[in-house]
Amino acid sequence: MFIGRERELGILRRLYETGKFQLPVIYGRRRVGKTALIEQFARELPCVFFTAVESDARVNLRNLSRELYAFDHPDGNPEAAPIFPDFYTAFEAAFDLAREKQVVFVVDEFPYLAKADTGAPSYLQALVDRNRESSRLFLVLCGSSMSFMKEQVLDDKSPLHGRRTAQIELRPFDFFESLPFLGGMAAQEAAQVYGMVGGIPLYLLQFDGGASLEDNVRAAFLDPSSILYEEPSNLLKQEVQKASQYNSILSAIAGGASQNNEIATAVGLTSTEITYYLKELQRLGIVERELPVVRSGRRAVYRVSDNLFRFWHRFVMPHRSTIERGIASRAIAAMDAHMAEYMGPVFEEICRQWLWRQFAEGALDFEFDDIGSWWGSDPRARKEAEVDIVCVRSNAAVAMGECKWRAEAFPKGELDKLMERSALVNAVSDVRYYAFSQSGFTAGCSDLVQGNGAVRLVGFEDMVDSAVS
């Protein structure tokens, strides 16, 4: 089952339709669906699909030789394929295959190949320069190592710089794009699953729409044999050394530490040391450094932006000893007690996604450049204040929102407080106010909206309905 990715498929198809040499680079974190995208694109096209493995050059050269042989000799025995003397010659043979007809040549997990033979990027550079006018090869380089693909393929110091004809960073699906993977599941449970794993297709497919949320969590996270049980740890080990130190930092942030000094104290590092680790986690897309979207003089905060890592470090890692002894009750109890709190930032992100979608569809009566949060001091109240959602244009707030993921209706007092804070975020005179709620709104909120075109009440179910209709 292939779901979504229409934009990315459209890019690849437009490139292919030119009939000329092309070199699209596709990258993104593991499990995000890169291979599935390429297979969907190339399923009816002449294609050599080579997946590099984490082994030496000899093994990878043998495998590549067999794939090229199988393409050129469909009735032959790949096991009997002659082995090319080196990767340069093998790549050259791929270009030769596409002299008369267009051929897709995929090198999946390119970082493994470049690790096995560090000259691989330079070989391709030379061959692209020599053959791009005479060969119709559709060469796809794909990789999961974000650092390698950005620094060794896309960076201006890379041998391949200037040779690519497109680059596609395949990102996780947003919540609304994730819903087809969770068919049969109630919207609120689907949101909680999204809060646990984000928009990674393989992770979403671990959940059964016909089972209860607790049964799904037990099977997906609290069974040591499940793929999600070890997934965050394994992903980190593939990207960094001293993974244990990174795990400690992620646990500290998931547990509530948000500023540089708080995180450093929690893990026993200096502020200088913690800065290095935080930059690495940002580079990997696991942690995000966030500032108020409208300047307030407040320091940046750090949050675990990857839902799988955040959930795992919040609810699974602290209970691994008991989980591995078949006792999942303590982890379940922690989730029951804190899930509503955990879902707060998740719901805020879903509301931001909804606003971006509404903007893209022309359904809003205002425009904005960015969406974020705001925090700072309220001089009148003499205390700290926060605004969950601020849409800004030219550094002025054009819309503000408050998000409530809880069992009771959204109270009018929270809406009044949101409107009072417009002066704190440099709001325009006709700023819009949004109240987002999982569980509806009180009569006071409904009364306030009557005759006030600046205030909008948006229920979670309505957000889902508008996205899937």
Side-chain angles (χ1 to χ4, degrees):
M1 177 177 64
F2 186 83
I3 297 173
R5 304 302 189 196
E6 288 85 0
R7 185 185 71 84
E8 292 84 357
L9 278 172
I11 292 170
L12 294 174
R13 287 167 177 161
R14 285 194 297 273
L15 291 174
Y16 188 82
E17 287 168 3
T18 66
K20 301 177 181 179
F21 169 81
Q22 298 289 349
L23 174 49
V25 175
I26 300 175
Y27 64 105
R29 60 166 292 175
R30 297 184 190 280
R31 320 292 199 187
V32 79
K34 300 181 297 299
T35 301
L37 168 67
I38 298 169
E39 289 176 341
Q40 179 70 12
F41 159 69
R43 62 192 176 118
E44 296 180 0
L45 302 176
C47 179
V48 179
F49 202 114
F50 165 63
T51 301
V53 295
E54 198 169 10
S55 186
D56 58 23
R58 179 183 57 84
V59 170
N60 279 288
L61 184 59
R62 180 197 66 201
N63 293 347
L64 175 56
S65 299
R66 288 176 176 175
E67 293 296 339
L68 289 167
Y69 179 86
F71 177 84
D72 212 23
H73 302 80
D75 298 324
N77 178 12
E79 298 295 324
I83 307 302
F84 287 98
D86 51 52
F87 282 107
Y88 184 95
T89 310
F91 292 149
E92 190 173 36
F95 278 91
D96 288 342
L97 289 175
R99 297 291 177 197
E100 303 299 329
K101 63 179 180 179
Q102 205 161 9
V103 175
V104 177
F105 176 37
V106 179
V107 182
D108 200 2
E109 295 300 351
F110 181 65
Y112 287 156
L113 178 61
K115 182 179 179 181
D117 187 330
T118 56
S122 296
Y123 306 154
L124 286 173
Q125 172 200 351
L127 288 165
V128 169
D129 291 347
R130 181 181 302 173
N131 295 282
R132 67 191 315 162
E133 298 299 328
S134 60
S135 176
R136 300 173 64 193
L137 192 68
F138 193 95
L139 172 59
V140 181
L141 298 184
C142 181
S144 300
S145 174
M146 299 288 283
S147 55
F148 181 93
M149 296 301 289
K150 289 180 178 179
E151 296 164 11
Q152 302 299 320
V153 178
L154 301 174
D155 189 77
D156 57 7
K157 296 178 181 178
S158 164
L160 290 168
H161 177 68
R163 276 75 184 177
R164 71 182 183 274
T165 56
Q167 65 280 329
I168 298 174
E169 180 179 0
L170 206 61
R171 298 178 181 274
F173 290 117
D174 71 15
F175 166 67
F176 302 100
E177 293 167 329
S178 300
L179 288 173
F181 291 92
L182 303 171
M185 191 175 290
Q188 292 185 2
E189 289 192 353
Q192 292 179 78
V193 170
Y194 177 79
M196 297 173 192
V197 300
I200 302 295
L202 180 65
Y203 303 162
L204 293 165
L205 290 172
Q206 305 308 305
F207 294 81
D208 179 2
S212 70
L213 185 62
E214 180 175 326
D215 286 345
N216 269 313
V217 170
R218 286 179 179 273
F221 279 105
L222 307 183
D223 180 348
S225 68
S226 67
I227 67 167
L228 295 183
Y229 183 71
E230 294 282 357
E231 183 75 351
S233 179
N234 291 336
L235 288 173
L236 206 53
K237 288 175 183 176
Q238 292 171 358
E239 293 284 356
V240 301
Q241 297 179 338
K242 298 183 180 179
S244 60
Q245 189 69 75
Y246 287 92
N247 278 320
S248 297
I249 292 167
L250 288 168
S251 291
I253 301 174
S258 62
Q259 294 193 339
N260 187 297
N261 59 337
E262 294 175 335
I263 303 166
T265 300
V267 299
L269 295 174
T270 66
S271 293
T272 301
E273 290 170 328
I274 202 68
T275 297
Y276 167 78
Y277 289 109
L278 289 171
K279 284 183 177 179
E280 286 296 291
L281 289 168
Q282 289 176 74
R283 180 177 62 82
L284 295 173
I286 299 172
V287 164
E288 182 177 62
R289 181 179 184 268
E290 188 177 6
L291 283 163
V293 69
V294 177
R295 191 173 301 172
S296 72
R298 288 300 183 263
R299 292 182 179 180
V301 297
Y302 295 89
R303 66 183 187 91
V304 182
S305 53
D306 185 287
N307 286 354
L308 175 68
F309 278 86
R310 180 169 171 257
F311 181 82
W312 191 83
H313 280 276
R314 181 70 176 83
F315 295 115
V316 180
M317 190 176 184
H319 303 286
R320 291 189 71 178
S321 295
T322 53
I323 292 170
E324 290 175 5
R325 287 163 176 78
I327 306 169
S329 56
R330 289 176 65 184
I332 291 294
M335 293 177 206
D336 289 342
H338 300 288
M339 197 62 187
E341 168 201 342
Y342 174 87
M343 281 297 295
V346 176
F347 187 45
E348 290 175 21
E349 180 58 27
I350 290 173
C351 294
R352 292 188 186 106
Q353 293 171 1
W354 182 82
L355 282 167
W356 277 117
R357 282 173 163 261
Q358 292 286 295
F359 183 22
E361 294 168 6
L364 301 178
D365 58 358
F366 60 92
E367 296 182 349
F368 55 87
D369 302 320
D370 198 7
I371 304 180
S373 300
W374 180 91
W375 58 95
S377 60
D378 183 345
R380 186 170 58 181
R382 296 182 179 180
K383 62 181 181 180
E384 294 295 297
E386 296 181 3
V387 181
D388 292 339
I389 290 180
V390 180
C391 301
V392 296
R393 186 177 185 187
S394 302
N395 203 39
V398 295
M400 303 166 56
E402 184 73 11
C403 310
K404 297 297 180 187
W405 183 272
R406 56 191 187 188
E408 62 266 22
F410 194 110
K412 178 178 178 295
E414 291 294 327
L415 192 48
D416 291 335
K417 191 185 301 182
L418 175 68
M419 298 172 72
E420 290 168 3
R421 289 177 177 168
S422 60
L424 304 177
V425 296
N426 188 33
V428 297
S429 58
D430 58 344
V431 63
R432 304 294 193 268
Y433 301 98
Y434 280 85
F436 297 96
S437 175
Q438 175 202 7
S439 304
F441 304 89
T442 62
C445 288
S446 300
D447 292 341
L448 180 61
V449 170
Q450 299 299 320
N452 189 339
V455 180
R456 287 92 189 271
L457 308 182
V458 184
F460 173 63
E461 297 284 352
D462 295 332
M463 294 166 64
V464 173
D465 291 342
S466 68
V468 301
S469 60

